[in-house]
Amino acid sequence: MTLDEISSTAVRLMEASGVEGLSMRKLAAELNVNPMSLYHHVESKDALLALICATAAERMHMPPDDGAPWQEQLMALALAYHRHAKEHPAIWGYLHTHPRLIADRRLPIWQTLYRILRLAGVPDPELRRTSDILHAFVSGFILAETQGHMSDDPEEIGRTFDAAIQLIIGGLASATS
Amino acid sequence: MTLDEISSTAVRLMEASGVEGLSMRKLAAELNVNPMSLYHHVESKDALLALICATAAERMHMPPDDGAPWQEQLMALALAYHRHAKEHPAIWGYLHTHPRLIADRRLPIWQTLYRILRLAGVPDPELRRTSDILHAFVSGFILAETQGHMSDDPEEIGRTFDAAIQLIIGGLASATS
DNA sequence: ACCTGAACACCGTTCAAGT
DNA sequence: ACCTGAACACCGTTCAAGT
């Protein structure tokens, strides 16, 4: 039994029945192993969830720099992030309620966001603050969506997401002009 | 033993040791009562938490209409909300991860926000969407803050919060002009 | 080094019985 | 109507013992 097997089985359980559907005991049963054996590969349940989130954040595919205006690139990044979160709702739901787990600035998401914000004219000393704000905003949106606070109609949610990003773009433009 | 006693004791436990510090069994012990007695006053733990959140949302004090420009009133509302959330971090942490619990449009927070957005020139059919976006943004910010994703320095957090609201104001201004 | 079983200290909640 | 004790079906994790 490897760490990879453990974490991919845990991901399967989460995708099947949410974070609350993942327990160390169920995970062990799924792997035909004693619950305590897991603790030889992972320090705790929290550590396992942190590992799963870190892996998901690392693997997230980022849109490349296509030379388009920053407004378009920011919209593309937001849409990619949103799509990714919707494809793995359990993991990203957990991650957005534990924002520490995505704090590592070397992650592709932050590198890409920094590049686009520089393009938008955000000065270097403001990059950290501005990227924190934008990520908090998008996190809050996705959390509201996954918790069913938004409309039930996916098209209306799409329009609302668009409007949200347009609002951010307008705000950034007015701050840097 | 009344519902009020139950919920105010539950709030005390939450403020002392977070949501995870509240259990039906500890709550019963605190009230010198059998754990099962609680279920004669409350349907479930979730229902109790929903009641606590609803009460907190209703009681939130809103800044009055002082005739100031919408930008100032929106900033004042955001600051009041932020302050309130910081004073009761456990309740608002739970509420922001369960946004359904603040969905009731009759709550003072929504009434006030609608009034200010109308002042800002947001057309009536857009009020619902725009207020959802703004609330999601502020929720995401507060969640990031309470989870320790933001800076440790309260002054820096204050500056970041200011910048966040200025960004929203700039975005609203560019959308309605 | 890796795995195990028994146990500890908890949970929320059901159910039948008491007053 | 309100409260109770015992029980059910779970948790995460510690610890001592096995190979």
Side-chain angles (χ1 to χ4, degrees), chain B residues 33-34 36-37 40-41:
Chain B
V33 103
N34 186 285
M36 289 312 101
S37 306
H40 284 275
H41 301 86

Side-chain angles (χ1 to χ4, degrees), chain B residues 3-4 6-8 11 47-61 84 88 91-92 95 101-102 104 107-109:
Chain B
L3 192 56
D4 258 30
I6 293 175
S7 92
S8 64
V11 167
L48 175 58
L49 282 163
L51 175 71
I52 288 168
C53 288
T55 310
E58 267 165 36
R59 285 189 191 158
M60 202 181 130
H61 172 257
H84 197 264
H88 309 280
I91 296 172
W92 289 83
L95 203 153
L101 301 178
I102 207 179
D104 184 351
L107 288 171
I109 172 74

Side-chain angles (χ1 to χ4, degrees), chain A residues 7 10-11 29 34 37 64 68-69 83 102 144 156 162 171:
Chain A
S7 91
V11 168
N34 186 285
S37 305
R83 183 168 19 82
I102 206 177
E156 168 58 16
D162 258 36

Side-chain angles (χ1 to χ4, degrees), chain A residues 121-143:
Chain A
V122 176
D124 265 46
E126 302 274 350
L127 280 178
R128 173 65 200 261
R129 186 184 291 169
T130 307
S131 61
D132 275 347
I133 292 172
L134 264 51
H135 186 253
F137 283 4
V138 174
S139 285
F141 190 97
I142 293 176
L143 202 64

